[in-house]
Amino acid sequence: MTRSLLALLALAAPARALEPIPDRLVVLTFDDASKSHFTVARPLLQKHRFGATFFVTQGWDAATNTRDYMSWPEMARLHTDGFEVGNHTLGHTSVTDKTLRDLPAQLRGIDALCEKHGIPKPVSFAYPGNAISRDALAVLKEHGIRFARRGGSPEHPYKDGRGFAYEPGLDHPLLVPTAGDARPHWTLDDLKAAVSQARGGKIAVLQFHGVPDTAHDWVSTKADTFEAFLKHLADERYTVIAMRDLARYVDAGVTPTDPFGVIEDRKRLLERKADGGNARPAKDDADLRYWLDNALTHHRFTPAEAGAALGLTADEVTAAAARLKLGPAPERKAGDRLLVLPYPGGRHPRIGFRDGAIRPQREAKASVFAPWPGGGYAVADVPEAVWFEPEPKRPELLYLAHTHIPTTWDRRTVTLPPLEWTRGRDGSLSLERTFPNKVTLTATVAPGADGVRMTFRVANGSAEKLTGLRVQMCVMLAGLTGFDARTNENKVLAAPFAACRDATGRRWVVTGWERCGRAWGNPPCPCVHADPVVEDCPPGEARAVRGWLSFYEGADVAAELRRLAAVAFR
């Protein structure tokens, strides 16, 4: 690996306290305190230096049956060996709406036994029988549980043992899905199918019971089969951790607004036999070089994040970057145009409220880089959403740059093809999309030294008048250094402009649009909006609005907004 590539990849780590999620990250979990966890699994895990979480319970006759279940001294030994002991309720009581009132006592029962035997209070939980309840989340949080693992259901049938990988930000940390739930019929191919999902920011959580399970043969795994599974994980260089160690990579405070929204979305994917992937493979080496330079050099993505954008593994990204001799970004000089690039995808452009933007499409997203060193970038959706009213007072979505609310095309089971920005020699970007109803949306993003000028145009080729045209223009701030505070206290929202200051209070990002109907901020994202209202558009005609994005350093942002009002939309 060349010195320049090493330097490039060192810069690629995002500026945040958490470690970036690597490809091939696996969480290994065991349920029910089976005796073989101590006698079989423990030495094999130690051999490979793997982490794991053992979810313990006193259900059935575990307190007295030391043939099928671990004793508490054995569970305590797991803790002293460095493994995690998690809470699986005292009586292996399924979490349902009917049993919810008993959950606090069930959790305290295991806590008390852990304390008695020198084991820390568990911070991880597994739902007994994989039964889940929406109202359990508040109970678990109040009890101090940070991560809770469910099964592969309800997306997949319980008995299949299949599941989805954990997607932090979309999946609630107290509803972490199981990517694979081992069954007696499992082969190495089943394990491979589960752990192969661990890429592009996703984490494969595996669920085992006894190895073997002498009390529950329907979830048993043979010892030699389990040993082969661990060998595969070791040979393929998977990182295998306990559930508590997710805290190294995942902010448990980022929770979806609708904890079950991503579950319903995955059900729809299964119905359509779609994988929901957003990767855009490069067409050739020239295209690959462009997108690697875009992601690694300018956006400072990790190889895993760049791989998620391009449908490659992190190792493939690193190898391609070396082969194509990628280097550092050229220095920018005073007076240069602001740098505008297509957002590559791969890393979610939001910090929170990600269930409000499931599977964001890169096609409408443009990154505008701050002019100061190390300033990062804002991501502008041009547009994020376009509403219209085909019937009075019944708005519908003509377009949405991610999955969250069904568009008029979703309702008609019409799939829109993915598009890419057209890149101009002057650094500008343009995009045009024509819908099945012959309505065409056009967006342009043109950088200058003083700011970025944007246009949005609607051309009506349909036979019906377009009315009620409202457009959401979202500028996401997660990648802009110092602007990631999740609050509206750092914003000035004065139509036609919306501005946000950084942590020092002297640097600002400003956006605005003509005919602005609403200037607002969404703290969980964080982001700012200056959303325009487009005039009604009769058949055969077109309507357009102009937008602006710039950066300001100084103490008088009010004066800057007054200045921009005179020049931004010329």
Side-chain angles (χ1 to χ4, degrees):
M1 190 179 296
T2 65
R3 183 176 300 176
S4 61
L5 179 59
L6 283 170
L8 175 63
L9 296 182
L11 288 173
R16 57 190 178 195
L18 295 174
E19 297 179 34
I21 298 171
D23 283 354
R24 296 189 293 266
L25 182 62
V26 168
V27 175
L28 198 55
T29 68
F30 298 84
D31 286 11
D32 299 348
S34 295
K35 186 74 167 185
S36 58
H37 293 170
F38 188 82
T39 58
V40 178
R42 171 178 163 268
L44 289 173
L45 293 169
Q46 289 174 320
K47 173 184 174 181
H48 294 291
R49 298 182 179 180
F50 285 166
T53 298
F54 294 88
F55 289 110
V56 300
T57 179
Q58 290 287 271
W60 306 289
D61 57 348
T64 57
N65 180 356
T66 57
R67 179 182 69 87
D68 294 323
Y69 299 98
M70 287 187 287
S71 66
W72 273 98
E74 288 169 330
M75 298 181 212
R77 179 62 184 272
L78 290 174
H79 162 64
T80 58
D81 286 341
F83 299 109
E84 180 185 19
V85 176
N87 198 319
H88 203 37
T89 74
L90 184 66
H92 199 270
T93 303
S94 292
V95 179
T96 67
D97 294 341
K98 292 182 179 179
T99 64
L100 193 62
R101 64 181 182 182
D102 300 324
L103 182 56
Q106 288 287 325
L107 295 168
R108 290 194 302 269
I110 287 295
D111 290 348
L113 288 167
C114 284
E115 182 180 14
K116 179 179 178 180
H117 293 90
I119 302 170
K121 179 184 175 182
V123 295
S124 299
F125 175 78
Y127 292 88
N130 293 329
I132 56 177
S133 167
R134 184 183 294 266
D135 292 335
L137 305 186
V139 177
L140 294 172
K141 180 180 179 181
E142 183 178 356
H143 193 77
I145 299 296
R146 300 194 66 188
F147 296 99
R149 192 217 68 215
R150 62 180 178 90
S153 62
E155 295 98 320
H156 289 283
Y158 171 76
K159 292 183 179 180
D160 285 0
R162 293 181 296 157
F164 284 89
Y166 172 37
E167 296 185 66
L170 292 182
D171 287 296
H172 197 290
L174 299 179
L175 284 172
V176 174
T178 297
D181 184 355
R183 294 290 191 269
H185 65 266
W186 257 37
T187 67
L188 187 57
D189 286 341
D190 293 297
L191 178 86
K192 290 179 179 179
V195 299
S196 66
Q197 300 180 61
R199 56 185 294 184
K202 299 178 184 179
I203 304 166
V205 180
L206 299 179
Q207 180 179 163
F208 287 90
H209 291 76
V211 287
D213 197 313
T214 52
H216 314 107
D217 58 5
W218 60 93
V219 288
S220 182
T221 300
K222 293 180 181 178
D224 57 349
T225 301
F226 179 73
E227 186 171 9
F229 291 169
L230 294 192
K231 184 178 184 302
H232 173 76
L233 296 177
D235 289 346
E236 297 300 317
R237 297 183 294 112
Y238 281 85
T239 300
V240 182
I241 63 172
M243 197 148 190
R244 68 184 173 204
D245 298 327
L246 284 171
R248 291 167 49 190
Y249 309 94
V250 179
D251 181 354
V254 174
T255 59
T257 306
D258 178 5
F260 284 74
V262 70
I263 295 175
E264 296 305 315
D265 183 71
R266 289 185 183 131
K267 287 181 180 179
R268 290 190 291 269
L269 286 178
L270 290 171
E271 289 173 1
R272 299 199 306 266
K273 298 182 179 179
D275 65 5
N278 272 348
R280 305 276 187 99
K283 301 172 186 175
D284 51 34
D285 265 5
D287 196 39
L288 178 60
R289 180 182 177 83
Y290 174 82
W291 285 109
L292 287 178
D293 183 63
N294 179 308
L296 296 174
T297 307
H298 293 286
H299 286 89
R300 297 190 176 184
F301 279 16
T302 66
E305 290 169 329
L310 293 163
L312 301 173
T313 67
D315 289 345
E316 289 169 338
V317 166
T318 301
R323 178 174 62 82
L324 297 171
K325 297 186 170 73
L326 257 64
E331 291 188 12
R332 300 186 63 79
K333 304 182 293 295
D336 284 351
R337 286 191 299 249
L338 291 173
L339 178 63
V340 171
L341 293 173
Y343 187 69
R347 180 193 296 174
H348 205 294
R350 295 181 172 188
I351 296 174
F353 191 46
R354 296 185 187 182
D355 57 323
I358 298 174
R359 290 191 300 281
Q361 297 295 328
R362 78 183 188 192
E363 61 190 28
K365 292 172 175 55
S367 295
V368 182
F369 288 76
W372 42 78
Y377 55 91
V379 178
D381 253 332
V382 191
E384 179 187 28
V386 180
W387 294 87
F388 74 125
E389 293 185 6
E391 298 179 33
K393 298 183 179 180
R394 293 193 61 179
E396 282 196 33
L397 269 172
L398 181 66
Y399 175 77
L400 184 63
H402 47 75
T403 299
H404 178 40
I405 302 170
T407 68
T408 189
W409 310 113
D410 293 327
R411 297 184 193 282
R412 304 179 199 182
T413 65
V414 173
T415 300
L416 300 177
L419 300 179
E420 297 282 11
W421 289 103
T422 298
R423 307 189 294 269
R425 291 185 178 181
D426 60 353
S428 65
L429 302 176
S430 61
L431 185 74
E432 182 175 285
R433 179 183 286 283
T434 299
F435 297 100
N437 63 352
K438 298 182 181 181
V439 171
T440 298
L441 305 182
T442 305
T444 63
V445 183
D450 59 340
V452 173
R453 287 171 169 80
M454 300 176 284
T455 60
F456 176 74
R457 182 175 183 269
V458 179
N460 188 4
S462 75
E464 304 293 331
K465 185 177 182 179
L466 287 173
T467 59
L469 285 164
R470 294 181 292 110
V471 187
Q472 286 185 199
M473 300 291 189
C474 182
V475 177
M476 292 166 281
L477 309 176
L480 200 59
T481 305
F483 289 80
D484 56 355
R486 284 175 263 178
T487 178
N488 272 347
E489 297 301 313
N490 61 353
K491 297 178 178 67
V492 173
L493 305 172
F497 296 106
C500 180
R501 66 174 182 267
D502 74 349
T504 70
R506 290 193 55 81
R507 287 177 170 172
W508 293 79
V509 59
V510 181
T511 188
W513 283 87
E514 291 180 310
R515 295 180 54 85
C516 178
R518 182 188 179 199
W520 59 289
N522 190 353
C525 290
C527 67
V528 287
H529 284 251
D531 295 341
V533 177
V534 179
E535 291 180 281
D536 290 350
C537 188
E541 297 189 19
R543 299 287 184 266
V545 288
R546 291 170 291 188
W548 175 267
L549 193 152
S550 62
F551 300 93
Y552 167 72
E553 289 187 88
D556 193 351
V557 73
E560 174 66 1
L561 294 181
R562 288 193 297 271
R563 184 188 74 83
L564 290 178
V567 302
F569 308 127
R570 287 182 178 177

